[in-house]
Amino acid sequence: MAPKPVIGLTADIEGFESPKRKGKERFFLKEAYFNAIFLAGGVPLLIPAYSQSVRSSAYFQMIDGLVVTGGYFDIDPRLYGERPEFRIDELKPERTKLEIYLIKKARKAGIPQLGVCGGMQAMNVAFGGSLYQDIPSQLHSAIKHEQKPSPVTKPTHKVNIV
């Protein structure tokens, strides 16, 4: 039997940039990401957004693929050459910086990647793209992107993967 592919999943981080939470940081990820990898026949491996661990080449020796996960935060517009001009929610600069590093390193190593929601945005920025800072303010014809008040398990728009 062939070995199952190991898929790295970027973790979210809480408390890292908060002086109040110093020493109480935690890494986490929605269970659905792990389940999706297991159901597809892979082995999920959590990659914490922590500079010493991520910058280690050990993860790149272990993984066969990378999923850059989403989260409830924005990417700083300065990372794609713009000044913040519209509604910007919480920023996670350390996580964003490390995910961009992972994305570039994975591409250089030829490791397949998938960006989910914010992960896709990070991939776009990593390779020189830009983003709408606030979709409803800047693109009035945009489709709804949040599941509120519906449960997050109910799709609200289609996605085509090419």
Side-chain angles (χ1 to χ4, degrees):
M1 181 169 22
K4 294 183 176 192
V6 176
I7 308 300
L9 295 158
T10 60
D12 205 345
I13 187 166
E14 183 177 88
F16 195 71
E17 283 124 1
S18 166
K20 238 170 50 167
R21 307 283 313 276
K22 196 73 177 151
K24 299 176 187 173
E25 299 83 7
R26 65 181 179 155
F27 300 108
F28 62 95
L29 188 62
K30 289 180 184 176
E31 182 183 18
Y33 284 107
F34 287 93
N35 291 341
I37 299 301
F38 276 125
L39 289 172
V43 176
L45 175 68
L46 189 71
I47 301 177
Y50 184 65
S51 59
Q52 283 86 346
S53 63
V54 173
R55 294 192 188 277
S56 162
S57 62
Y59 281 102
F60 290 95
Q61 294 170 5
M62 291 189 275
I63 64 173
D64 301 299
L66 175 67
V67 176
V68 184
T69 65
Y72 296 100
F73 64 98
D74 286 332
I75 294 176
D76 189 334
R78 290 174 280 244
L79 292 175
Y80 48 91
E82 294 182 12
R83 288 189 351 246
E85 295 183 34
F86 295 90
R87 187 188 93 192
I88 304 295
D89 291 328
E90 179 182 5
L91 299 175
K92 293 189 177 182
E94 186 69 15
R95 177 180 172 183
T96 301
K97 181 173 114 183
L98 292 168
E99 284 184 338
I100 288 173
Y101 171 83
L102 278 172
I103 291 162
K104 289 179 177 180
K105 186 162 179 145
R107 182 167 188 185
K108 189 174 182 179
I111 296 171
Q113 303 176 59
L114 174 67
V116 177
C117 195
M120 184 172 33
Q121 294 173 38
M123 292 174 81
N124 182 49
V125 171
F127 297 116
S130 64
L131 301 171
Y132 287 107
Q133 292 179 29
D134 182 54
I135 293 172
S137 301
Q138 294 180 270
L139 189 64
H140 301 292
S141 63
I143 59 173
K144 181 180 169 186
H145 281 79
E146 293 191 42
Q147 288 88 353
K148 296 174 188 174
S150 299
V152 296
T153 55
K154 182 181 176 191
T156 55
H157 64 85
K158 290 183 179 183
V159 174
N160 295 317
I161 299 175
V162 179

